[in-house]
Amino acid sequence: MKKRIMVVEDESIVRLDLTMMLEEAGYDVVGQAGNGEKAVEQAFLLKPDLIIMDIKMPKLNGLKASEIISKKNNTPILLLTAYSQREYIDKAKQANIMGYLVKPVNEASLIPAVEIALRQAENANAFREQVESMNQQLNERKIVEKAKGILMKKFNMPEDDAFKKMRKISMNKQVTLENVAKRIILKYNA
């Protein structure tokens, strides 16, 4: 499936040039914007796989637009600028900024930067999902441990027996161990 890219650049000639290079390389340019406000609107509407965003733009600059987009979406952003000044580089070191290209941009620099940004975004998403999964497992474990502790205290039973009882209820009622634990907590933790 083609990767969906949005191009945000206030100079229409540069925007057109970037779009053509991307489409020739097999990418789907799903949106274009000439200022930061439109970029934010379109990013939320189109949900592209990558945004290529100029830093210096009217109404809302690319760094501010990137910041707004990053707070709501995990869309990776590749910054584009005519300036390679340190202040811009430092400001660009925020969440979903995956790279930085200095104009003029040619296909030889654009396409590898896009490919790397997309790969880094995939890796970041996989890592984020793994962390979320581990946090969920940890929370489930905490609930089970709390319920087990309640059973041990309430019925004066060893830890192993409390766990076996919960597991047996889970199997008999065909519900998750976490649901059994939540019911125990609700019932006995008043």
Side-chain angles (χ1 to χ4, degrees), residues 23-90:
E23 287 175 344
E24 284 172 13
Y27 294 103
D28 185 10
V29 178
V30 293
Q32 297 182 32
N35 65 57
E37 286 180 1
K38 287 262 188 241
V40 171
E41 278 176 34
Q42 285 193 18
F44 295 148
L45 186 70
L46 300 171
K47 295 181 177 34
D49 296 312
L50 176 71
I51 299 171
I52 298 173
M53 173 120 46
D54 189 17
I55 288 181
K56 286 256 192 178
M57 287 186 297
K59 294 189 180 180
L60 184 67
N61 74 43
L63 287 171
K64 197 70 187 156
S66 296
E67 195 177 310
I68 293 166
I69 293 166
S70 293
K71 283 181 182 171
K72 285 198 175 182
N73 291 359
N74 286 324
T75 307
I77 299 167
L78 191 57
L79 288 177
L80 187 61
T81 185
Y83 310 93
S84 59
Q85 296 164 337
R86 188 87 226 152
E87 65 178 285
Y88 291 114
I89 295 169
D90 288 340

Side-chain angles (χ1 to χ4, degrees), residues 122-132:
E122 284 175 16
N123 291 344
N125 283 337
F127 182 71
R128 195 173 5 265
E129 286 172 11
Q130 186 179 12
V131 168
E132 285 173 15

Side-chain angles (χ1 to χ4, degrees), residues 139-148 150-151 166-167 169-170 175-189:
N139 287 335
E140 289 170 9
R141 190 76 208 141
K142 285 179 182 177
I143 290 168
V144 169
E145 288 298 316
K146 183 175 181 177
K148 191 168 57 171
I150 290 169
L151 289 179
M166 288 171 57
R167 195 172 62 211
I169 294 168
S170 168
V175 295
T176 64
L177 194 58
E178 181 188 9
N179 284 343
V180 171
K182 285 178 181 177
R183 288 180 187 164
I184 290 169
I185 292 167
L186 280 173
K187 186 172 183 178
Y188 298 113
N189 204 22

